[in-house]
Each structure stands twice: as structure tokens, then as C-alpha cells.
């Protein structure tokens, strides 16, 4: 019975949220702003990850070059 009530509560919350988003302009604007912030944050994280990968790639290339030079000697 507890599970059914939890499922019912979740469903009602989901339905209420969908109706608010559809019919309330303020709620829609708030949700859209939140979505834009999340996307912006994700893009920043992606850029930082790319920069970190580029730096790591440079260090690996330098390390390989140093190892090759030592092997030649």
C-alpha cells in the first residue's frame, strides 16, 4: 500500500509540474532560465575538460620525446 501511495504522489507531482509549465508563464520562464544555466555550466565543464586533455596530450608528447632521446643515447 505504501508503494502505491508513493507512486500516486510522484504521479501527481509530475502532473502538477507539467500543468504549471504549460499554463504558467512565470514557471515556464523560471524553468527555462534554470535549463539555460545548466547548459551553460555543462559547456564550461566541457571546455575545461578539453583544455585539460590538451595539456595532458602535450605532457605525454614531451615525455615520449624525452624517452626516445634517452633511448638513442
Amino acid at each position: 500500500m505504501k508503494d502505491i501511495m508513493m507512486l500516486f504522489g510522484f504521479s501527481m507531482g509530475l502532473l502538477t509540474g507539467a500543468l504549471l509549465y504549460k499554463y504558467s508563464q512565470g514557471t515556464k520562464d523560471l524553468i527555462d532560465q534554470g535549463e539555460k544555466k545548466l547548459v551553460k555550466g555543462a559547456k564550461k565543464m566541457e571546455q575545461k575538460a578539453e583544455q585539460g586533455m590538451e595539456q595532458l596530450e602535450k605532457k605525454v608528447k614531451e615525455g615520449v620525446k624525452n624517452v626516445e632521446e634517452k633511448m638513442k643515447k
Side-chain angles (χ1 to χ4, degrees), residues 7-19:
L7 183 60
F8 178 72
F10 178 75
S11 301
M12 291 306 295
L14 187 62
L15 180 63
T16 303
L19 290 173

Side-chain angles (χ1 to χ4, degrees), residues 37-60:
K37 286 182 182 179
L38 284 173
V39 169
K40 188 176 181 180
K43 285 182 181 179
K44 283 184 182 179
M45 288 176 60
E46 181 183 5
Q47 289 174 350
K48 287 181 181 179
E50 287 177 0
Q51 289 173 354
M53 290 299 293
E54 289 172 0
Q55 291 174 354
L56 182 62
E57 185 179 354
K58 287 178 185 178
K59 288 181 180 180
V60 168

Side-chain angles (χ1 to χ4, degrees), residues 3-43:
D3 294 338
I4 293 171
M5 294 306 284
M6 286 176 37
L7 183 60
F8 178 72
F10 178 75
S11 301
M12 291 306 295
L14 187 62
L15 180 63
T16 303
L19 290 173
L20 274 173
Y21 184 78
K22 184 174 182 179
Y23 294 111
S24 175
Q25 188 62 36
T27 303
K28 188 172 185 174
D29 291 342
L30 183 68
I31 291 172
D32 290 343
Q33 287 175 0
E35 183 181 6
K36 287 178 185 177
K37 286 182 182 179
L38 284 173
V39 169
K40 188 176 181 180
K43 285 182 181 179

